[in-house]
Amino acid sequence: MKHQFELKLILLLLTLAWLVGCGTQEAGSVASQTEQGAQAPASELPPASEATAVDVVAEAQSFPVTVKDYQGRDVTLAKQPRRIISLLPSHTETLFALGAGEQMVGCTSLCNYPPETEELKQIALANPGSISLEALVELQPDLIVTGGDYHRQLAAQLETLKIPVLALESQSVADIEKAMLGIGQATGHSRQGQKLIARLKDEIAGVQKQIKPFQKEERPKVFYRVWDQPLMTAGPHSFIGELITLAGGENVFADVEPAYPQVSEETLILRNPEVIVMPRMKEGPADAQQVLEKLRQRPGWSDMAAVKGGRVYLIEDDVISRPGPRVVQGLQKLAQALYPEAFPDP
Amino acid sequence: MRPTQPRFAVWRILPFLGGLLLALLVGIHFGAVQLSLSEIWQGLTGAAAGAQIETILWQIRLPRVVLAACVGAGLAIAGAAFQGVFRNPLADPFVIGASSGAALGATLALLCLAGSVTVITSTGQVPWLILAAFGGAMLIVGAVFVIASLSNLGRSAPLLTLILAGMALSSFTGALVSLIMFLNHEMLNTIFNWLLGSFSGRHWNEIAIAGPVILVSGGLIWMLSRPLDLLSFGDETAMSLGLPSGKVRLLILAAATLCTAACVSVSGVIGFLGLMAPHMTRILLGPRHGLLIPGSALLGATLLVIADTLARTVIAPTEIPVGVVTALMGCPFFLFLLISRGRQSM
């Protein structure tokens, strides 16, 4: 622990030294850019379709902007960011959905959607501690979009380096909307942000309308299996738990506190879920039938209503567990698993 | 040390047996799902107590309780043997690298099996995880022995070399496991769970694999309790009494390692127990191995059954790793015994 801290300190000092080295030069160029920006904003525009170009021009003039981050703190951006790095796959998707993809220079190695992310510089990411500050600084970002508490330490380091950070949580549908709003404002796409939020609300309402005629008093009991050993599920306070409720299901572990707790097999068997949903990992079995066969062999599971009825579903990992603009796809798949009769053509 | 009359000594172990039976009953009684005593009786005798109750009792609760007892006994026996052979009160079943080897094997297996985590240990399937953990333990312990035999440090040093080589290799494999954890963020929970020890999701299958190994190796150690008594006086004494100390010592070490590997491969790394259970028994029953080994086995089994019951129930339906419980509950008890009757301890 102490070593890690020391390592980071050394890293920090080195980066600081480097920054001081090119500080004077940087400051000059920033100043000249700002001047240019005020005089002729159009010259700085990235090559884009007419519609977005107009939008960007219109909103670029509204800079500087002040955006609230997840802690309610103000983040002020003097001008429209042109070199954005996103450190969360869900935020990357939001950036692209807003039309800010062209302003991006980097994302994490886990960001795999949309395909355009391949052209960006990929920051190797295993966990927040493994992000290289040097790799970030090298890209000369003028805005880094991070997750909230997850990147708290990193955000503090970036702040000492005077790199603007916009920290936004991504744990719930409300968070997604806030992220769309905040990122929209910060990148000069507020109008798109608002449109995106309206569309998201519409689509969620659409899914709920579709299942409405088939909903009964008793909602289908769902077990969402996050992991097998240890047996882990998604609690009601997690994003997936929220999706289960939105899709008209009842989480069999609605009484747990942590977001992704390890739960007891006994309780699961006693609560007897009617539907089991699991994320489909890229390396994992692609076929729910295969998984069902394995579950049947498992002691105590074969009598479970979901296993007996063959109602075991796999939902692609990326859409179910990534709280971004594609949340509707995950929600739809979940609703389809819970109310197959509401979706006659899968 | 206090001489004990063999005839009366046997009687002194009866409270230990009673304690274990009581612990087993408590372990079967309490759980995430509360079973009444009459329900347990009906379930055990086959009188229908409801299909779900029967499933939970026979397929989930009983195997867990029995496995906890087996592993507790195995770790305690191995601990007593290592302490006797090394003549070191700090020796525990993990001293020569068995636990870190098993953890590495399990981690690698989990990494390779990442996608097919569903049902790693269902009946009729090759228990890759268990085999990998077992293989890892044997590999690292083997390496420790090879290293110790390669170094020529004089006559009385090999024991010390073994411990040092074990510690070095433990640190090394521990670092490898940490690296894998760091680079595979999504597997953090599984590996972490393994490193803290857990009986979550274990069934009769694990007992069928580890039980016989623990029984045979533990039995062998018990049969060698007379030589163990002599060895704990030191090599010179043992040899002057006509004991081929080198061979016997190797045999005991091999049996204790096998026993440890079997335990770790089904439960993960459960610290504290193998170190403390023999000491507690030594305080209560005296240092002679003929009595110490069965006593340790019973006490170890009792403690682990109680620890696992707590792990299952304290914040049910969420579970906590049993290794955490053993350390939290065992340490104060051990210190209490040490203070109250410490002078007889070693």
Side-chain angles (χ1 to χ4, degrees):
Chain A
M1 226 28 213
K2 203 178 164 204
H3 276 294
Q4 205 183 2
F5 175 69
E6 279 170 5
L7 207 69
K8 276 181 185 154
L9 197 71
I10 290 169
L11 200 72
L12 202 73
L13 288 176
L14 283 177
T15 351
L16 269 175
W18 178 80
L19 265 191
V20 171
C22 15
T24 40
Q25 194 190 339
E26 288 261 304
S29 75
V30 167
S32 71
Q33 269 172 24
T34 333
E35 254 164 58
Q36 259 180 13
Q39 282 161 5
S43 65
E44 273 189 31
L45 286 179
S49 69
E50 197 114 333
T52 50
V54 170
D55 190 43
V56 172
V57 176
E59 300 213 17
Q61 285 168 343
S62 69
F63 278 83
V65 294
T66 302
V67 186
K68 288 234 183 292
D69 74 357
Y70 79 111
Q71 288 174 308
R73 295 195 303 182
D74 287 335
V75 177
T76 305
L77 291 148
K79 56 188 214 47
Q80 191 175 26
R82 292 300 151 111
R83 300 185 63 81
I84 304 172
I85 298 176
S86 159
L87 292 182
L88 222 50
S90 55
H91 287 343
T92 304
E93 291 194 21
T94 300
L95 278 160
F96 274 96
L98 289 167
E102 279 145 358
Q103 293 153 255
M104 287 183 70
V105 288
C107 60
T108 74
S109 52
L110 297 178
C111 298
N112 54 4
Y113 186 90
E116 285 90 328
T117 48
E118 276 172 37
E119 291 155 29
L120 301 175
K121 170 84 180 168
Q122 312 250 311
I123 312 285
L125 176 79
N127 63 53
S130 72
I131 294 173
S132 152
L133 267 182
E134 289 187 25
L136 293 180
V137 172
E138 191 197 2
L139 287 175
Q140 295 179 285
D142 50 13
L143 176 64
I144 297 186
V145 188
T146 66
D149 287 330
Y150 188 65
H151 288 124
R152 187 192 285 260
Q153 206 183 356
L154 184 78
Q157 289 170 334
L158 288 170
E159 260 164 43
T160 41
L161 297 176
K162 301 268 178 280
I163 297 173
V165 177
L166 178 60
L168 292 165
E169 269 303 344
S170 161
Q171 305 281 348
S172 66
V173 175
D175 281 345
I176 299 175
E177 288 176 7
K178 274 188 209 151
M180 285 173 169
L181 195 68
I183 296 175
Q185 288 171 344
T187 58
H189 299 272
S190 331
R191 213 176 305 158
Q192 261 99 340
Q194 258 133 20
K195 269 190 221 159
L196 209 55
I197 293 171
R199 203 178 79 197
L200 185 76
K201 283 188 166 144
D202 266 6
E203 286 175 329
I204 292 176
V207 173
Q208 289 188 309
K209 205 173 150 199
Q210 197 161 359
I211 55 172
K212 188 103 193 175
F214 301 91
Q215 274 180 307
K216 298 185 193 89
E217 191 77 16
E218 192 93 322
R219 290 176 299 156
K221 291 194 284 177
V222 193
F223 172 61
Y224 189 91
R225 196 227 62 181
V226 173
W227 202 257
D228 194 54
Q229 268 207 332
L231 191 65
M232 283 168 66
T233 193
H237 304 306
S238 69
F239 171 63
I240 293 169
E242 188 184 6
L243 288 190
I244 291 174
T245 310
L246 285 176
E250 188 193 330
N251 192 341
V252 288
F253 284 104
D255 56 342
V256 296
E257 205 47 49
Y260 298 97
Q262 183 185 335
V263 291
S264 104
E265 210 175 358
E266 300 179 351
T267 314
L268 175 65
I269 286 171
L270 197 75
R271 295 187 179 177
N272 198 15
E274 296 155 68
V275 180
I276 297 177
V277 182
M278 10 182 131
R280 184 163 78 76
M281 312 285 183
K282 260 148 235 94
E283 324 81 38
D287 185 18
Q289 209 57 36
Q290 227 175 312
V291 176
L292 182 65
E293 276 316 307
K294 284 191 171 181
L295 289 184
R296 277 218 177 92
Q297 295 164 13
R298 202 170 173 160
W301 285 56
S302 49
D303 290 331
M304 218 180 277
V307 178
K308 256 191 196 160
R311 294 189 68 185
V312 174
Y313 301 90
L314 295 176
I315 298 180
E316 204 189 322
D317 180 22
D318 283 353
V319 296
I320 188 80
S321 43
R322 191 177 288 179
R326 286 194 294 165
V327 51
V328 180
Q329 288 180 38
L331 181 64
Q332 192 153 9
K333 296 244 170 77
L334 204 53
Q336 227 166 321
L338 295 178
Y339 298 97
E341 61 278 13
F343 301 84
D345 296 309
Chain B
M1 66 185 258
R2 199 168 52 186
T4 39
Q5 293 291 325
R7 199 175 304 181
F8 298 114
V10 178
W11 293 103
R12 296 175 57 202
I13 213 158
L14 277 184
F16 284 72
L17 197 62
L20 177 58
L21 288 177
L22 197 67
L24 286 173
L25 194 64
V26 165
I28 297 170
H29 179 47
F30 291 101
V33 179
Q34 198 80 271
L35 298 179
S36 72
L37 288 175
S38 66
E39 272 175 323
I40 295 173
W41 180 250
Q42 284 167 357
L44 288 177
T45 51
Q52 260 182 346
I53 300 287
E54 206 155 306
T55 307
I56 288 174
L57 189 62
W58 278 104
Q59 313 218 37
I60 313 285
R61 186 80 54 88
L62 260 182
R64 256 188 96 148
V65 171
V66 174
L67 188 66
C70 290
V71 170
L75 288 176
I77 294 176
F82 280 120
Q83 283 159 18
V85 169
F86 288 126
R87 278 180 280 133
N88 183 339
L90 289 177
D92 74 350
F94 306 137
V95 70
I96 48 178
S99 73
S100 50
L104 182 65
T107 307
L108 288 175
L110 287 168
L111 203 61
C112 300
L113 296 165
S116 50
V117 275
T118 333
V119 204
I120 290 167
T121 54
S122 83
T123 8
Q125 257 195 343
V126 184
W128 288 116
L129 188 68
I130 299 177
L131 289 180
F134 194 78
M138 296 315 276
L139 187 80
I140 296 300
V141 174
V144 167
F145 273 94
V146 169
I147 291 166
S149 66
L150 282 180
S151 70
N152 294 317
L153 284 174
R155 270 211 47 197
S156 64
L159 286 179
L160 187 63
T161 320
L162 269 183
I163 293 182
L164 287 177
M167 282 179 65
L169 270 184
S170 281
S171 302
F172 180 73
T173 40
L176 279 181
V177 170
S178 300
L179 181 67
I180 295 173
M181 280 168 86
F182 189 77
L183 294 178
N184 296 275
H185 204 234
E186 74 283 357
M187 294 184 57
L188 209 65
N189 271 305
T190 315
I191 301 174
F192 204 52
N193 188 56
W194 190 267
L195 291 177
L196 291 175
S198 170
F199 293 107
S200 157
R202 313 301 205 268
H203 302 287
W204 293 113
N205 210 24
E206 279 84 357
I207 299 173
I209 295 163
V213 181
I214 295 172
L215 199 69
V216 169
S217 53
L220 185 68
I221 293 172
W222 191 29
M223 282 163 64
L224 293 171
S225 42
R226 189 78 197 130
L228 255 174
D229 282 343
L230 297 180
L231 278 177
S232 50
F233 288 129
D235 275 9
E236 311 254 324
T237 322
M239 272 163 80
S240 67
L241 290 169
L243 187 77
S245 63
K247 273 183 203 156
V248 172
R249 195 164 52 203
L250 202 65
L251 190 62
I252 295 172
L253 282 180
T257 302
L258 198 66
C259 193
T260 309
C263 292
V264 184
S265 66
V266 290
S267 67
V269 183
I270 297 176
F272 170 79
L273 201 77
L275 177 70
M276 304 298 182
H279 283 301
M280 293 183 186
T281 315
R282 209 172 277 119
I283 292 171
L284 297 167
L285 288 183
R288 298 182 59 167
H289 286 87
L291 206 55
L292 177 65
I293 284 173
S296 301
L298 291 172
L299 188 64
T302 307
L303 290 177
L304 200 51
V305 168
I306 292 172
D308 183 50
T309 308
L310 287 174
R312 282 184 285 134
T313 50
V314 172
I315 45 166
T318 309
E319 293 198 359
I320 46 179
V322 69
V324 175
V325 182
T326 55
L328 285 182
M329 76 164 202
C331 209
F333 181 45
F334 175 72
L335 291 178
F336 168 73
L337 274 185
L338 212 58
I339 292 166
S340 63
R341 310 189 58 180
R343 261 159 294 168
Q344 297 166 22
S345 74
M346 186 77 205

